[in-house]
Amino acid sequence: MDSPPSALTIAGSDSGGAAGLQADLRTFLTCGVHGLVAVTAVTVQNTLGVHDRSDMPPHIVAAQIEAVAADMGIGAAKTGMLASAEIIAAVAEACDRADVGRGRTVPFVVDPVAASMHGHPLFDAAGLAALRELLLPRATVLTPNLDEVRLLTGIEVTGREQMREAAVALHALGPQYVLVKSGHLHEDPECVDLLYDGSDFMELPGPRFDTPHTHGAGDAMASALTAGLARGMAVPEAARFGKWFVSNAVAHSYPMGAKIGPVSAFWRLCPEDR
């Protein structure tokens, strides 16, 4: 059997299994891609919130990236929670050495995870500045939600036209493509994400499902997009693939724990033949 394509997630661990590297690996698997991991932090969390966290030493994060790149090869890479300015700097340098990033061999999806879904900040002002200055210019695709748009640009998006304004402002920070995710635009009856390449806009429409269980949706879309790139898709095709995947994942989300449950990858599994 030939080796499948591979994709790397550079992200934190979610003990609840709904988001973070667990969501990325689950998505990679069900999209036909072998998942590689560089762990940035271990969080203590459940549906009630993030209770504690331990960050990895930056040189260990960088070494994980370089180890898998040197031996197994990386078809595409993505980031999730990066925890600190020091880790971001180490990731940027390691990705350069591994030929990952805009204009390089390996496409790079930057999912700028700046806060947990419970509102807990995941790094300080120095981390946000490092993200903006070091990773955004290296991104093949930047995939912010509307809270992250506000943190990166100061633009408070309340409608689809402002999503275009935000995409232009984000593109000016250096990524090749910007994919603005509209899941937090709760007043819109549809969920229309927006892809921008510096000249053209492409809308990615989808239904807005009446469910509170959306934990890990952003991770799932970014990792499905990354899987598409690892499989050789061009960015617009991979973005459509990511939208298709996450729409089905939200449609099949389920309750677990006291509050917000996860989106599901189970819909991609074949029925058991007993």
Side-chain angles (χ1 to χ4, degrees):
M1 181 178 178
D2 293 336
S3 299
S6 63
L8 169 67
T9 175
I10 308 165
S13 172
D14 171 5
S15 56
L21 66 85
Q22 285 82 0
D24 293 339
L25 291 176
R26 188 163 55 239
T27 301
F28 288 165
L29 174 68
T30 54
C31 291
V33 171
H34 176 83
L36 308 167
V37 180
V39 183
T40 60
V42 175
T43 67
V44 179
Q45 66 174 289
N46 52 26
T47 65
L48 300 174
V50 179
H51 307 290
D52 205 349
R53 184 179 105 194
S54 179
D55 297 345
M56 298 296 290
H59 75 279
I60 294 294
V61 178
Q64 292 174 86
I65 296 169
E66 294 183 62
V68 296
D71 177 51
M72 305 170 79
I74 302 170
K78 74 171 290 288
T79 65
M81 172 189 167
L82 295 176
S84 71
E86 293 77 15
I87 289 177
I88 291 170
V91 166
E93 293 170 5
C95 284
D96 286 351
R97 290 191 290 269
D99 209 23
V100 173
R102 177 179 181 174
R104 296 177 179 270
T105 303
V106 180
F108 190 32
V109 176
V110 175
D111 195 20
V113 180
S116 74
M117 72 173 304
H118 309 285
H120 299 91
L122 296 177
F123 45 58
D124 57 14
L128 188 63
L131 176 68
R132 189 185 289 113
E133 295 165 12
L134 297 178
L135 284 196
L136 268 58
R138 287 174 164 84
T140 307
V141 190
L142 176 69
T143 61
N145 63 32
L146 300 186
D147 290 334
E148 292 153 357
V149 166
R150 186 184 67 254
L151 288 170
L152 290 168
T153 68
I155 297 172
E156 186 83 39
V157 175
T158 58
R160 293 188 197 177
E161 282 305 312
Q162 286 173 306
M163 287 177 63
R164 293 187 171 228
E165 177 188 350
V168 170
L170 288 164
H171 191 270
L173 297 176
Q176 184 178 355
Y177 286 83
V178 175
L179 176 59
V180 179
K181 298 178 291 193
S182 65
H184 295 179
L185 202 60
H186 300 294
E187 299 304 314
D188 194 324
E190 288 186 281
C191 190
V192 182
D193 301 330
L194 186 68
L195 183 70
Y196 179 61
D197 65 0
S199 58
D200 297 319
F201 294 96
M202 184 177 82
E203 291 190 343
L204 301 170
R208 187 173 296 276
F209 297 99
D210 185 17
T211 176
H213 304 304
T214 57
H215 197 182
D219 306 80
M221 182 169 188
S223 51
L225 190 161
T226 305
L229 294 174
R231 288 169 50 178
M233 298 178 190
V235 170
E237 182 186 4
R240 285 191 291 266
F241 180 75
K243 180 67 173 183
W244 168 77
F245 183 93
V246 76
S247 294
N248 281 281
V250 175
H252 292 84
S253 65
Y254 50 87
M256 181 163 281
K259 289 194 174 181
I260 299 173
V263 301
S264 177
F266 291 135
W267 68 275
R268 289 281 279 167
L269 302 179
C270 293
E272 294 182 12
D273 184 11
R274 294 183 181 274

